[in-house]
């Protein structure tokens, strides 16, 4: 019965979030068991284009490091904000969500050539957090009981946290920059005078994925809009991107 319950909970997670976070966990397990090594996973354009190790285009987004605080921190944030985006802003629009993944991944791979970041998973997480935060500007959050702030400041709070821990902030800056580019092209520019939607989801993705939407899926109450467990919701939170009263 316990196994059935876990299985049911697993398949209640929306599909993109479910398989992305599962792939991240499995990648870490494989490295922990020494079946693969981080040297086989990191982003290296030379090995990709000269030796055709094309799997590195994906594996660089799946590895958050060995089991420990950094892995757990990134995995929780990835799962939380990826899920909230998918089940609120992209519910029934799996293809559009995948298009966001592809757009962000391509920009990060191009930028990674110049900034020499070996693993792009953390930057991808920050991108998801940034987009969610900009689309939920009225959500109030609390950082470990230290201070309160509005959701749009969350990516910058995380950047400051990385700085305090002595980590490089280049990854956070990359995630924020690409998250802002996506948010501007998808939510801001199309609503400007003379604007139009720049990012259009290919029909093949809509054909493959949007016809397979889990119609009976209902978000868990604790997973509805509201930030991480350190935060609290604000009533009448707008749920749709590009709301007219949303700050630009």
């Amino acid at each position: 019965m316990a196994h059935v319950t876990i299985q049911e909970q697993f398949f209640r997670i929306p599909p993109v979030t479910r398989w992305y976070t599962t792939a991240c966990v499995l990648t870490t397990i494989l490295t922990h068991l020494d079946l693969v090594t981080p040297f086989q996973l990191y982003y290296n354009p030379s090995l990709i284009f000269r030796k055709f190790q094309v799997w590195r285009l994906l594996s660089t987004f799946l590895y958050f490091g060995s089991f420990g605080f950094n892995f757990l921190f990134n995995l929780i944030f990835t799962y939380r904000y990826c899920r909230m985006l998918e089940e609120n802003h992209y519910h029934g629009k799996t293809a559009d969500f995948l298009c966001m993944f592809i757009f962000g991944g391509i920009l990060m791979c191009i930028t990674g050539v110049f900034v020499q970041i070996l693993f792009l998973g953390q930057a991808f997480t920050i991108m998801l957090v940034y987009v969610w935060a900009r689309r939920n500007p009225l959500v109030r959050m609390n950082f470990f009981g230290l201070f309160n702030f509005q959701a749009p400041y969350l990516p910058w709070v995380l950047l400051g946290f990385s700085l305090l821990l002595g980590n490089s902030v280049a990854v956070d800056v990359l995630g924020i920059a690409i998250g802002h580019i996506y948010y501007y092209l998808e939510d801001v520019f199309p609503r400007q005078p003379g604007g139009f939607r720049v990012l259009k989801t290919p029909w093949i993705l809509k054909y493959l994925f949007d016809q397979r939407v889990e119609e009976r899926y209902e978000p868990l109450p604790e997973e509805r809009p509201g930030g991480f467990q350190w935060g609290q919701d604000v009533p009448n939170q707008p749920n749709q991107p590009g709301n007219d009263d949303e700050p630009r």
Side-chain angles (χ1 to χ4, degrees), residues 80-122:
R80 184 75 182 184
Y81 292 98
C82 186
R83 177 167 185 172
M84 287 195 294
L85 279 173
E86 186 172 5
E87 69 186 14
N88 290 287
H89 300 282
Y90 293 99
H91 181 61
K93 299 185 290 184
T94 302
D96 290 346
F97 197 40
L98 283 173
C99 191
M100 174 186 173
F101 269 56
I102 294 170
F103 175 81
I106 290 175
L107 283 188
M108 287 185 187
C109 286
I110 293 173
T111 310
V113 174
F114 303 99
V115 297
Q116 297 181 343
I117 297 176
L118 300 181
F119 293 102
L120 297 168
Q122 183 178 337

Side-chain angles (χ1 to χ4, degrees), residues 1-236:
M1 182 63 68
H3 173 72
V4 174
T5 301
I6 294 174
Q7 186 180 42
E8 289 176 348
Q9 292 295 330
F10 177 75
F11 283 102
R12 289 184 68 182
I13 302 171
V16 177
T17 303
R18 178 169 68 234
W19 296 117
Y20 179 55
T21 53
T22 298
C24 292
V25 172
L26 290 178
T27 300
T28 303
I29 291 175
L30 290 175
T31 58
H32 183 72
L33 297 176
D34 291 329
L35 296 177
V36 296
T37 70
F39 295 103
Q40 297 172 298
L41 304 175
Y42 75 95
Y43 183 64
N44 186 320
S46 178
L47 294 177
I48 292 170
F49 296 108
R50 294 182 182 179
K51 297 191 176 181
F52 306 105
Q53 296 181 6
V54 293
W55 67 81
R56 294 178 184 270
L57 292 172
L58 294 177
S59 62
T60 184
F61 294 100
L62 302 179
Y63 185 67
F64 293 128
S66 57
F67 287 113
F69 174 78
N70 190 60
F71 166 79
L72 186 61
F73 187 83
N74 282 285
L75 184 66
I76 290 175
F77 267 77
T78 300
Y79 168 79
R80 184 75 182 184
Y81 292 98
C82 186
R83 177 167 185 172
M84 287 195 294
L85 279 173
E86 186 172 5
E87 69 186 14
N88 290 287
H89 300 282
Y90 293 99
H91 181 61
K93 299 185 290 184
T94 302
D96 290 346
F97 197 40
L98 283 173
C99 191
M100 174 186 173
F101 269 56
I102 294 170
F103 175 81
I106 290 175
L107 283 188
M108 287 185 187
C109 286
I110 293 173
T111 310
V113 174
F114 303 99
V115 297
Q116 297 181 343
I117 297 176
L118 300 181
F119 293 102
L120 297 168
Q122 183 178 337
F124 195 83
T125 298
I126 295 296
M127 181 193 76
L128 295 174
V129 170
Y130 183 90
V131 174
W132 176 87
R134 290 302 300 268
R135 288 178 174 176
N136 295 270
L138 299 182
V139 174
R140 289 186 59 80
M141 313 194 76
N142 181 280
F143 189 74
F144 295 121
L146 299 177
F147 58 91
N148 299 318
F149 56 92
Q150 298 292 111
Y153 293 103
L154 177 58
W156 303 100
V157 171
L158 295 179
L159 185 149
F161 187 59
S162 295
L163 192 61
L164 288 176
L165 293 178
N167 299 328
S168 172
V169 298
V171 174
D172 300 76
V173 171
L174 176 61
I176 290 173
I178 293 180
H180 182 74
I181 291 172
Y182 176 83
Y183 173 77
Y184 181 82
L185 294 178
E186 185 71 5
D187 291 34
V188 179
F189 180 70
R191 293 170 175 81
Q192 300 299 314
F196 56 91
R197 191 177 181 191
V198 178
L199 304 177
K200 296 183 178 180
T201 304
W203 69 267
I204 187 64
L205 290 181
K206 290 182 176 290
Y207 175 78
L208 291 174
F209 297 102
D210 283 355
Q211 293 183 2
R212 292 166 171 78
V213 173
E214 301 174 35
E215 298 292 347
R216 293 182 296 175
Y217 172 74
E218 295 183 3
L220 299 175
E222 65 270 20
E223 299 297 341
R224 290 169 185 159
F228 194 52
Q229 291 180 352
W230 59 39
Q232 57 183 353
D233 297 352
V234 170
N236 301 322

